[in-house]
Amino acid sequence: QKNYKKATECLKLALEFDTLNKDLENIYYSQKELAKLYTKIDQKSAQGYFKQALLTAEELKDNFKVALVHFEQGEFYYDIEEDKQALICFLDSKKALKSSKNDENLSRINSRIKDLRIRLGNKLFDSIVDNYDKNWNNTTTTKFKFGFNCG
């Protein structure tokens, strides 16, 4: 806990400095790293930083950074066994990389998606994916009628 606290303090100072200097690249980095740290100590704060990092990545118009935030958030949900949310995040990550030729990143995402098919079962998995496919064109950040989202 002590090391997490020190790390978050340093990253918050960096974020404050970069915000004053309008350095979006480093703002994004600090937000993403704060989100990852907070997943260990304060999940609500983690969600806030994931959301901020996603908005910054979108402002930078950097699909790789958008995909990475979704992936990291998916990992968070996967680790706490919130499998529906994890699946949405991994699908959002894959969508953000749709024009990428980076097979390594896509294979990591696809591996998690395959794992989630097993954890969720085929019927629930297919239902979530079908609903995702019907709705993802409508919004940048996915939010379904059953009330969960990624980002």
Side-chain angles (χ1 to χ4, degrees):
Q1 287 281 7
K2 197 177 214 182
N3 290 338
Y4 288 123
K5 185 173 168 65
K6 184 103 173 139
T8 58
E9 288 171 5
C10 291
L11 281 168
K12 284 181 179 180
L13 284 173
L15 179 58
E16 188 177 323
F17 177 80
D18 293 328
T19 300
L20 287 172
N21 290 307
K22 298 180 175 138
D23 182 349
L24 288 178
E25 290 285 337
N26 283 320
I27 290 170
Y28 162 81
Y29 175 80
S30 294
Q31 291 166 334
K32 182 177 67 65
E33 293 305 311
L34 279 163
K36 288 167 49 179
L37 281 170
Y38 272 112
T39 62
K40 310 289 188 221
I41 55 176
D42 179 359
Q43 293 178 355
K44 188 172 181 133
S45 292
Q47 290 305 325
Y49 283 111
F50 277 127
K51 192 169 285 194
Q52 289 175 23
L54 181 61
L55 291 172
T56 303
E58 288 172 348
E59 189 174 347
L60 287 164
K61 295 178 178 28
D62 188 326
N63 286 340
F64 181 78
K65 286 179 172 58
V66 169
L68 188 56
V69 172
H70 285 305
F71 184 82
E72 296 287 352
Q73 195 170 16
E75 289 287 281
F76 162 68
Y77 283 129
Y78 185 89
D79 290 344
I80 64 170
E81 297 183 11
E82 294 283 345
D83 293 337
K84 293 176 188 176
Q85 286 94 331
L87 179 57
I88 298 304
C89 291
F90 292 130
L91 291 171
D92 281 346
S93 184
K94 188 174 180 176
K95 179 179 75 169
L97 286 178
K98 67 182 177 275
S99 61
S100 173
K101 302 294 183 215
N102 192 324
D103 292 335
E104 184 179 332
N105 290 319
L106 287 172
S107 72
R108 286 179 64 202
I109 296 165
N110 286 329
S111 176
R112 279 296 194 222
I113 291 171
K114 286 178 187 173
D115 290 346
L116 286 167
R117 177 180 283 281
I118 293 166
R119 283 171 51 167
L120 289 165
N122 287 332
K123 187 175 180 179
L124 181 54
F125 179 92
D126 289 341
S127 171
I128 293 167
V129 171
D130 288 345
N131 196 26
Y132 181 89
D133 289 341
K134 289 176 189 168
N135 291 296
W136 75 268
N137 280 328
N138 299 332
T139 60
T140 303
T141 302
T142 308
K143 184 164 186 174
F144 293 102
K145 64 182 177 193
F146 29 80
F148 58 83
N149 64 9
C150 183

